Amino acid sequence: MFRCLVNGYQYPFHLDIFKALEKKNIINITHWIQRPELFDDLDKEFRSVKKYNYYDCIRGNYPEEQNRIIKNQDIDKIFFDEERNLLNMASRFNYYENVTETDLIRFIEIHKNYWASFFARNKIDLIIFEEIPHLLYDYCLYLIAKSQKKKI
């Protein structure tokens, strides 16, 4: 059975699929990133799941005690190689307007450190993305998972 982090869902049939996978002991969803207006749907079927507010993830509003600096050469190399892509990704969204490139790089570091420390604290085997990672937080999540050879 895979311990699983789910990033989003939009349609009720997604929940039906997740319930069926859990019932067959294929996955055990332990963490879920979702828009808070959909938390009620999760509470009905997935009470024990740790929920993360999607908007907090976008803004990098992570609990400070869980956002420690992780030094890992493999992760640092991937982020160094992807820096231009990450900066271009940030430039597409208006919530990063009037932010300097230096500030964006610091913001990317916040995401990188949070998700690296998240995987250090939690035994996650599988990450399910509702769609292709295209926001800073979920692309950073994807890069960290990839660097740690997680199933995606």
Side-chain angles (χ1 to χ4, degrees), residues 22-133:
E22 280 202 329
K23 188 174 183 178
K24 292 180 180 183
N25 292 322
I26 296 171
I27 62 173
N28 174 22
I29 301 171
T30 57
H31 299 80
W32 203 313
I33 301 167
Q34 187 55 271
R35 294 190 319 262
E37 58 269 22
L38 298 175
F39 278 174
D40 287 346
D41 294 344
L42 296 181
D43 286 339
K44 291 175 192 166
E45 302 294 337
F46 300 94
R47 286 182 197 74
S48 64
V49 171
K50 169 88 170 115
K51 294 170 211 62
Y52 296 83
N53 184 320
Y54 163 84
Y55 302 109
D56 285 343
C57 290
I58 287 176
R59 294 181 197 105
N61 291 339
Y62 302 118
E64 286 203 28
E65 71 277 3
Q66 296 178 1
N67 194 9
R68 56 182 215 263
I69 295 174
I70 301 290
K71 289 294 179 194
N72 179 302
Q73 288 180 337
D74 294 335
I75 292 172
D76 289 344
K77 181 179 180 342
I78 288 171
F79 275 77
F80 178 80
D81 293 345
E82 290 288 333
E83 184 175 278
R84 187 53 39 207
N85 288 336
L86 289 160
L87 290 170
N88 286 337
M89 192 176 292
S91 71
R92 294 184 309 200
F93 296 97
N94 63 1
Y95 42 79
Y96 301 120
E97 283 183 11
N98 303 319
V99 177
T100 67
E101 186 170 296
T102 302
D103 289 336
L104 280 176
I105 290 170
R106 274 193 225 114
F107 195 59
I108 290 166
E109 285 291 314
I110 289 169
H111 287 300
K112 177 184 90 169
N113 287 325
Y114 179 76
W115 292 112
S117 64
F118 172 86
F119 283 118
R121 288 187 322 273
N122 299 284
K123 293 178 177 14
I124 300 293
D125 307 304
L126 172 69
I127 296 88
I128 298 174
F129 289 96
E130 174 195 12
E131 53 192 8
I132 296 169

